[in-house]
Amino acid sequence: MSNSEKKELIKSSTISTQSKALLIGSIAGGILGAITGLLIAKRVEEADGELKISANEGMRLAMLIFSFLKDISKFG
């Protein structure tokens, strides 16, 4: 096996940068989603089983999420 064939084999067997980013993002998103679900469930329990989110809270949450995603996109 020549050096070029070895390099090509190594190159084809490694995970691409895009795949790594997708994998890490998926795992981080799953963990953050689970934590968010637990926090919401705790809030519902404290509110006697009723989830109360006002329009103002919903808008603030949406703005925070979009701001967070915008900041993450600046890393690349």
Side-chain angles (χ1 to χ4, degrees):
M1 188 179 283
S2 69
N3 282 341
S4 63
E5 289 175 339
K6 288 178 183 178
K7 287 180 184 178
E8 189 63 34
L9 181 62
I10 291 171
K11 188 177 180 181
S12 67
S13 66
T14 59
I15 299 175
S16 71
T17 303
Q18 185 178 11
S19 296
K20 287 179 186 177
L22 287 170
L23 180 63
I24 292 169
S26 297
I27 291 170
I31 291 169
L32 289 174
I35 292 170
T36 302
L38 289 171
L39 292 173
I40 290 173
K42 183 178 177 181
R43 184 175 174 178
V44 168
E45 286 177 7
E46 291 173 356
D48 298 325
E50 220 178 293
L51 179 61
K52 296 178 184 178
I53 297 178
S54 68
N56 189 24
E57 287 177 319
M59 288 300 293
R60 277 193 324 197
L61 181 60
M63 294 301 287
L64 284 169
I65 291 170
F66 286 123
S67 175
F68 178 69
L69 293 174
K70 183 179 175 185
D71 289 342
I72 288 176
S73 70
K74 290 181 182 178
F75 284 119

